[in-house]
């Protein structure tokens, strides 16, 4: 099983190496990077490239590690017992399988995405150490051991909101997705918009990277936001000439709501425009 990218996903050489190393080592691949750099999409494209089924476990702040294994619905069983339901005789009727259980018992070798693990409680990664290492867990209600038929390809994403425990990191192969340079970004744009006018792309990319380089920005625009912006520029038929304007009153680019998602950053550009206008006044 090797990953060499797909027609819909531009993977850098070091990312391909990381994915294939994790597959060879049979260890989870921990992927970090700025939001919007394609961490979640990576798992989807790896599954496509390998011809493997994809199982997605999207983590929330309330998610517990146990939910990835299984959940026992004692309340429903109690209610059914009071109603005389025959299902209560088999406790398995009240056990809901989690994504890890599904991955362990899948017929083929699946790709398991554990998305945004840093959203959960700090103990969440530690609670999965044994299960991800040994690829098995014990079901107390039935007394059975669920063991992986074959180790799934596990891809874990993090936005660096919390530090992950050292014991967890030791069990992973780590890769940081660097923000794409202009050449790589051009290739990403070409994949998503194969017929787009290159003059528009050139001006949009220039302006996009200028915005990212503005000192003091709280949230820099990401790859996904650039793609949204380009789509809007095409829908509104805004040409490269409009993007090239240097009018001090228009420092914020057209349709900037696709790129600038924070009121502090909007105010920052307004202040810069004011300073530019003031410096341009005759003395």
């Amino acid at each position: 099983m090797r990953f060499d990218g797909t027609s819909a996903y531009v993977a850098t050489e070091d990312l391909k190496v990381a994915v294939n190393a994790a597959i060879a080592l049979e260890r989870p691949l921990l992927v970090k990077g700025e939001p919007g750099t394609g961490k979640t999409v990576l798992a989807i494209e790896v599954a496509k490239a390998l011809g493997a089924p994809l199982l997605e476990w999207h983590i929330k702040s309330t998610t517990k590690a146990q939910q990835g294994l299984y959940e026992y619905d004692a309340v429903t069983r109690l209610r059914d017992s009071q109603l005389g339901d025959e299902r209560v005789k088999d406790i398995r009727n009240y056990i809901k399988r989690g994504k890890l259980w599904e991955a362990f018992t899948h017929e083929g070798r699946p790709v398991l995405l554990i998305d945004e693990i840093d959203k959960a409680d700090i103990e969440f990664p530690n609670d999965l150490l044994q299960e991800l290492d040994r690829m098995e867990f014990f079901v107390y209600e039935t007394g059975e051991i669920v063991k992986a038929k074959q180790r799934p390809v596990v891809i874990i994403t993090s936005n660096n909101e919390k530090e992950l425990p050292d014991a967890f990191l030791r069990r992973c192969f780590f890769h940081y997705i660097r923000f794409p340079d202009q050449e790589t970004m051009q290739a990403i744009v070409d994949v998503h918009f194969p017929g787009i006018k290159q003059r528009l792309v050139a001006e949009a990319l220039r302006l996009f990277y200028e915005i990212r380089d503005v000192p003091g920005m709280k949230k820099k625009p990401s790859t996904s936001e650039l793609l949204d912006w380009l789509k809007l520029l095409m829908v509104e038929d805004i040409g490269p000439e409009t993007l090239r304007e240097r009018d001090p009153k228009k420092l914020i680019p057209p349709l900037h709501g696709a790129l600038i998602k924070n009121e502090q950053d909007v105010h920052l550009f307004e202040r810069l425009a004011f300073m530019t206008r003031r410096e341009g006044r005759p003395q």
Side-chain angles (χ1 to χ4, degrees), residues 30 39 42 73 76 79 110 132 135 139 170 182-183 242 259 261 263:
L30 174 61
K39 300 185 296 296
L42 172 65
D73 192 349
T76 300
R79 184 195 63 199
L132 290 176
M135 287 289 160
V139 182
R170 281 199 302 273
Q182 196 148 336
E183 183 179 345
T242 305
L259 295 175
K261 304 293 183 69
E263 65 275 11

mmCIF file of all heavy atoms in Angstrom, residues 30 39 42 73 76 79 110 132 135 139 170 182-183 242 259 261 263:
data_model
loop_
_atom_site.group_PDB
_atom_site.id
_atom_site.type_symbol
_atom_site.label_atom_id
_atom_site.label_comp_id
_atom_site.label_asym_id
_atom_site.label_seq_id
_atom_site.Cartn_x
_atom_site.Cartn_y
_atom_site.Cartn_z
ATOM 1 N N LEU A 30 0.242 11.339 12.750
ATOM 2 C CA LEU A 30 -0.263 12.564 13.371
ATOM 3 C C LEU A 30 0.087 13.735 12.469
ATOM 4 O O LEU A 30 1.262 14.011 12.232
ATOM 5 C CB LEU A 30 0.358 12.746 14.758
ATOM 6 C CG LEU A 30 0.028 14.062 15.474
ATOM 7 C CD1 LEU A 30 -1.466 14.202 15.713
ATOM 8 C CD2 LEU A 30 0.803 14.159 16.793
ATOM 9 N N LYS A 39 -5.641 18.923 6.043
ATOM 10 C CA LYS A 39 -5.328 17.775 6.903
ATOM 11 C C LYS A 39 -6.438 16.717 6.847
ATOM 12 O O LYS A 39 -6.166 15.532 6.696
ATOM 13 C CB LYS A 39 -5.112 18.241 8.347
ATOM 14 C CG LYS A 39 -3.979 19.237 8.509
ATOM 15 C CD LYS A 39 -3.721 19.571 9.963
ATOM 16 C CE LYS A 39 -4.880 20.273 10.626
ATOM 17 N NZ LYS A 39 -5.173 21.609 10.020
ATOM 18 N N LEU A 42 -6.717 15.011 3.495
ATOM 19 C CA LEU A 42 -5.645 14.046 3.279
ATOM 20 C C LEU A 42 -6.137 12.622 3.518
ATOM 21 O O LEU A 42 -5.872 11.719 2.713
ATOM 22 C CB LEU A 42 -4.457 14.355 4.197
ATOM 23 C CG LEU A 42 -3.341 13.300 4.219
ATOM 24 C CD1 LEU A 42 -2.657 13.218 2.847
ATOM 25 C CD2 LEU A 42 -2.319 13.614 5.299
ATOM 26 N N ASP A 73 -25.818 1.091 26.388
ATOM 27 C CA ASP A 73 -27.036 1.855 26.671
ATOM 28 C C ASP A 73 -27.829 1.164 27.777
ATOM 29 O O ASP A 73 -28.794 0.429 27.520
ATOM 30 C CB ASP A 73 -27.880 1.981 25.400
ATOM 31 C CG ASP A 73 -29.006 2.995 25.544
ATOM 32 O OD1 ASP A 73 -29.249 3.442 26.684
ATOM 33 O OD2 ASP A 73 -29.638 3.325 24.522
ATOM 34 N N THR A 76 -31.768 2.327 28.114
ATOM 35 C CA THR A 76 -32.721 1.683 27.207
ATOM 36 C C THR A 76 -32.974 0.239 27.622
ATOM 37 O O THR A 76 -34.108 -0.256 27.545
ATOM 38 C CB THR A 76 -32.194 1.732 25.759
ATOM 39 O OG1 THR A 76 -32.018 3.090 25.370
ATOM 40 C CG2 THR A 76 -33.168 1.070 24.795
ATOM 41 N N ARG A 79 -35.377 0.230 30.514
ATOM 42 C CA ARG A 79 -36.735 0.521 30.059
ATOM 43 C C ARG A 79 -37.356 -0.689 29.375
ATOM 44 O O ARG A 79 -38.509 -1.029 29.611
ATOM 45 C CB ARG A 79 -36.702 1.711 29.093
ATOM 46 C CG ARG A 79 -38.089 2.176 28.620
ATOM 47 C CD ARG A 79 -37.960 3.075 27.416
ATOM 48 N NE ARG A 79 -37.381 2.357 26.285
ATOM 49 C CZ ARG A 79 -36.813 2.953 25.240
ATOM 50 N NH1 ARG A 79 -36.729 4.281 25.198
ATOM 51 N NH2 ARG A 79 -36.319 2.241 24.252
ATOM 52 N N PRO A 110 -9.031 -0.669 6.512
ATOM 53 C CA PRO A 110 -9.605 0.661 6.309
ATOM 54 C C PRO A 110 -8.631 1.779 6.664
ATOM 55 O O PRO A 110 -7.594 1.551 7.291
ATOM 56 C CB PRO A 110 -10.795 0.659 7.270
ATOM 57 C CG PRO A 110 -10.324 -0.195 8.405
ATOM 58 C CD PRO A 110 -9.422 -1.238 7.807
ATOM 59 N N LEU A 132 -4.649 1.990 20.529
ATOM 60 C CA LEU A 132 -3.943 2.291 19.283
ATOM 61 C C LEU A 132 -2.621 1.535 19.183
ATOM 62 O O LEU A 132 -2.139 1.262 18.081
ATOM 63 C CB LEU A 132 -3.697 3.801 19.173
ATOM 64 C CG LEU A 132 -4.931 4.670 18.920
ATOM 65 C CD1 LEU A 132 -4.557 6.145 18.941
ATOM 66 C CD2 LEU A 132 -5.604 4.319 17.599
ATOM 67 N N MET A 135 -3.907 -2.445 19.327
ATOM 68 C CA MET A 135 -5.002 -2.666 18.389
ATOM 69 C C MET A 135 -5.995 -3.705 18.922
ATOM 70 O O MET A 135 -6.435 -4.603 18.203
ATOM 71 C CB MET A 135 -4.462 -3.094 17.013
ATOM 72 C CG MET A 135 -3.816 -1.956 16.251
ATOM 73 S SD MET A 135 -5.030 -0.756 15.675
ATOM 74 C CE MET A 135 -4.025 0.700 15.390
ATOM 75 N N VAL A 139 -14.257 -5.660 26.156
ATOM 76 C CA VAL A 139 -15.648 -5.242 26.346
ATOM 77 C C VAL A 139 -16.130 -5.858 27.661
ATOM 78 O O VAL A 139 -16.357 -7.065 27.746
ATOM 79 C CB VAL A 139 -16.549 -5.695 25.174
ATOM 80 C CG1 VAL A 139 -17.981 -5.189 25.375
ATOM 81 C CG2 VAL A 139 -15.990 -5.210 23.845
ATOM 82 N N ARG A 170 4.906 9.439 21.167
ATOM 83 C CA ARG A 170 5.876 8.370 20.905
ATOM 84 C C ARG A 170 5.289 7.273 20.031
ATOM 85 O O ARG A 170 6.020 6.570 19.344
ATOM 86 C CB ARG A 170 6.366 7.756 22.225
ATOM 87 C CG ARG A 170 7.409 8.581 22.932
ATOM 88 C CD ARG A 170 8.178 7.743 23.950
ATOM 89 N NE ARG A 170 7.301 7.146 24.954
ATOM 90 C CZ ARG A 170 6.936 7.756 26.089
ATOM 91 N NH1 ARG A 170 7.370 8.982 26.337
ATOM 92 N NH2 ARG A 170 6.152 7.162 26.949
ATOM 93 N N GLN A 182 4.140 29.579 -3.146
ATOM 94 C CA GLN A 182 3.321 30.061 -4.265
ATOM 95 C C GLN A 182 3.242 29.039 -5.394
ATOM 96 O O GLN A 182 2.192 28.892 -6.029
ATOM 97 C CB GLN A 182 3.882 31.395 -4.785
ATOM 98 C CG GLN A 182 2.889 32.154 -5.659
ATOM 99 C CD GLN A 182 3.044 33.668 -5.551
ATOM 100 O OE1 GLN A 182 3.550 34.158 -4.553
ATOM 101 N NE2 GLN A 182 2.614 34.391 -6.569
ATOM 102 N N GLU A 183 4.320 28.323 -5.631
ATOM 103 C CA GLU A 183 4.318 27.327 -6.712
ATOM 104 C C GLU A 183 3.367 26.177 -6.393
ATOM 105 O O GLU A 183 2.591 25.738 -7.255
ATOM 106 C CB GLU A 183 5.745 26.795 -6.911
ATOM 107 C CG GLU A 183 5.858 25.812 -8.058
ATOM 108 C CD GLU A 183 7.285 25.311 -8.244
ATOM 109 O OE1 GLU A 183 8.220 25.925 -7.678
ATOM 110 O OE2 GLU A 183 7.463 24.306 -8.953
ATOM 111 N N THR A 242 -8.973 44.784 -11.390
ATOM 112 C CA THR A 242 -9.584 45.237 -10.135
ATOM 113 C C THR A 242 -8.690 44.897 -8.953
ATOM 114 O O THR A 242 -8.528 45.693 -8.015
ATOM 115 C CB THR A 242 -10.966 44.586 -9.947
ATOM 116 O OG1 THR A 242 -11.770 44.859 -11.091
ATOM 117 C CG2 THR A 242 -11.664 45.127 -8.704
ATOM 118 N N LEU A 259 -11.780 35.932 2.844
ATOM 119 C CA LEU A 259 -10.385 35.819 3.279
ATOM 120 C C LEU A 259 -10.176 36.267 4.720
ATOM 121 O O LEU A 259 -9.420 35.633 5.471
ATOM 122 C CB LEU A 259 -9.481 36.664 2.372
ATOM 123 C CG LEU A 259 -9.345 36.264 0.903
ATOM 124 C CD1 LEU A 259 -8.522 37.299 0.170
ATOM 125 C CD2 LEU A 259 -8.703 34.884 0.776
ATOM 126 N N LYS A 261 -11.580 36.832 8.309
ATOM 127 C CA LYS A 261 -12.691 36.306 9.099
ATOM 128 C C LYS A 261 -12.701 36.844 10.528
ATOM 129 O O LYS A 261 -13.301 36.229 11.413
ATOM 130 C CB LYS A 261 -12.595 34.773 9.132
ATOM 131 C CG LYS A 261 -12.568 34.103 7.771
ATOM 132 C CD LYS A 261 -13.893 34.261 7.042
ATOM 133 C CE LYS A 261 -13.892 33.537 5.706
ATOM 134 N NZ LYS A 261 -13.862 32.097 5.808
ATOM 135 N N GLU A 263 -12.938 40.538 12.943
ATOM 136 C CA GLU A 263 -13.175 41.985 12.918
ATOM 137 C C GLU A 263 -11.914 42.779 13.259
ATOM 138 O O GLU A 263 -11.709 43.886 12.763
ATOM 139 C CB GLU A 263 -14.319 42.368 13.868
ATOM 140 C CG GLU A 263 -14.084 42.130 15.337
ATOM 141 C CD GLU A 263 -14.411 40.716 15.769
ATOM 142 O OE1 GLU A 263 -14.618 39.854 14.892
ATOM 143 O OE2 GLU A 263 -14.447 40.465 16.971
#
